[in-house]
Amino acid sequence: MKTLSVREQLLEHTLVLVRQRGFNGFSYRDLAERVGVKTSSIHYYFPTKEDLVQAAVTEYSARICDHVRHIDTGLPPEDQAREFLQPWLDSAGGDRICLVGMLSTEALLLPEPVHRVLKEFYRVNETWLTRLLESVQAAQHKPAALAPQTMAQAVLGALQNGLVVARLFGAPQRIKAAADLLTVAVSGPVVEPVPA
Amino acid sequence: MKTLSVREQLLEHTLVLVRQRGFNGFSYRDLAERVGVKTSSIHYYFPTKEDLVQAAVTEYSARICDHVRHIDTGLPPEDQAREFLQPWLDSAGGDRICLVGMLSTEALLLPEPVHRVLKEFYRVNETWLTRLLESVQAAQHKPAALAPQTMAQAVLGALQNGLVVARLFGAPQRIKAAADLLTVAVSGPVVEPVPA
DNA sequence: GTCTATAAGGCGATAGAC
DNA sequence: GTCTATCGCCTTATAGAC
């Protein structure tokens, strides 16, 4: 377990605070207390709060998008979908939603460079899902009811709101509706296991 | 066109401000300037900011839920779905998202009485969609790939995030993926009109 | 790099005159 | 009901010592 530099600690705690409370929901004081420095030290690394959030969203988007890009396209579609869904299922029901979902909701408060990263996140994830659904559709005889891109956007949206609702209700399983939507699209009807 | 009381004006402008910027994204000063009163007058009607947001979310949820409850259940499912979708399509691409979607994202900043209204909003909308999908499914020979309740949650989630993304991209048509998901679920494949 | 000290202004909220 | 005036605190941000 590596020791993080102060800058890295600031970034990690910012990721947590934004995912919990949003851009306007935490202060330099909150962040300083968590890392164990004074607020003036934060300004040394991130001159303004916009610099801080820009670094946070860039780091977060890179992590998720890298995860998606590294999914083995040789795997069966069901397995690719499972890999894609993993980070979403992992965070469902905790106190953190997707950082991109949070900041997109607060978009009117944020500068344009942040918008660019948010849009890129949606583009990368939707494009990956579209390709997956296209490959499934190409292997079938009947065309799907919804175009791959349309289903991709619907799935990603359902996942984003799924995290929000799972947290609101304190019910991790509420992410399952969105996950099932993707699962069905790549591999047919979901059959729940029957209790013995 | 009726003249609104000061209290009604405060509530209407609060609905707008929350849908644009969220609970922490506007101040009593912002609201006072818009209505043309001093900030102390706001406290006369709404002693605390939590009182203000409680009144706003209650009013907003009542409006949408009443709209949903008044949809004629005797209509064909496609027409019921169209009615349901109308307020979502109307606000897509503007600067306002769903107030419930906004406050749900900010849930950790808000008191429990607000949570109760947010959850009730999801319950009412999901229940209505579930019933609609059940009625469609009962009239068909094959069972749908997804259970009605699951599809209902996915559709509502896709709509919420659809508003967020439509605003972020400045592209009203981005709400269509979510709308198509519901439309297909109640009436089969969506066929785009071919340009002449 | 990290600190102390402080600036300059915003915030929600209250007291009391009218 | 609406105002003026003000309180106490929080906010982001900066200057300058160490």
Side-chain angles (χ1 to χ4, degrees), chain B residues 45-121:
Chain B
Y45 296 100
F46 306 99
T48 72
K49 203 179 178 186
E50 290 186 356
D51 294 324
L52 179 63
V53 75
Q54 180 76 49
V57 69
T58 301
E59 173 65 24
Y60 181 88
S61 181
R63 288 185 192 178
I64 301 292
C65 292
D66 283 354
H67 167 79
V68 167
R69 276 190 273 258
H70 283 84
I71 297 172
D72 182 356
T73 55
L75 258 37
E78 299 91 327
D79 293 344
Q80 289 188 54
R82 211 188 331 273
E83 280 250 26
F84 176 88
L85 291 172
Q86 182 209 311
W88 299 88
L89 298 174
D90 285 349
S91 57
D95 60 2
R96 306 169 202 179
I97 63 170
C98 172
L99 185 138
V100 170
M102 175 64 82
L103 294 183
S104 300
T105 301
E106 296 180 298
L108 295 194
L109 311 169
L110 299 167
E112 200 271 341
V114 170
H115 290 196
R116 292 185 60 247
V117 181
L118 297 175
K119 291 188 219 175
E120 178 70 1
F121 177 92

Side-chain angles (χ1 to χ4, degrees), chain A residues 20-21 24-25 95 97 101-102 104-109 115 118-119 122-123 126 142 145-146 150-151 153-154 156-158 160-161 164-165 167-169 174 176-178 180-181 184 189-190, chain B residues 20-21 24-25 95 97 101-102 104-109 115 118-119 122-123 126 142 145-146 150-151 153-154 156-158 160-161 164-165 167-169 174 176-178 180-181 184 189-190:
Chain A
Q20 289 172 332
R21 310 192 206 164
N24 266 349
D95 60 2
I97 63 169
M102 176 64 82
S104 299
T105 301
E106 295 180 299
L108 295 194
L109 312 168
H115 290 195
L118 298 175
K119 291 188 217 175
Y122 282 105
R123 195 191 65 76
E126 287 174 3
K142 289 185 176 182
L146 278 178
T150 301
M151 181 59 88
Q153 292 179 5
L156 192 59
Q160 289 282 16
N161 191 254
V164 172
V165 170
R167 182 177 68 171
L168 177 64
F169 283 85
R174 293 229 30 170
K176 272 203 90 254
D180 287 354
L181 182 63
V184 163
V190 170
Chain B
Q20 288 173 332
R21 311 192 205 163
N24 266 349
D95 60 2
I97 63 170
M102 175 64 82
S104 300
T105 301
E106 296 180 298
L108 295 194
L109 311 169
H115 290 196
L118 297 175
K119 291 188 219 175
Y122 282 105
R123 195 190 64 75
E126 288 174 2
K142 289 184 175 183
L146 279 177
T150 301
M151 181 59 87
Q153 292 179 5
L156 192 60
Q160 288 282 16
N161 190 254
V164 172
V165 170
R167 183 177 67 170
L168 177 65
F169 283 85
R174 293 226 33 166
K176 272 202 90 255
D180 287 354
L181 182 63
V184 164
V190 169

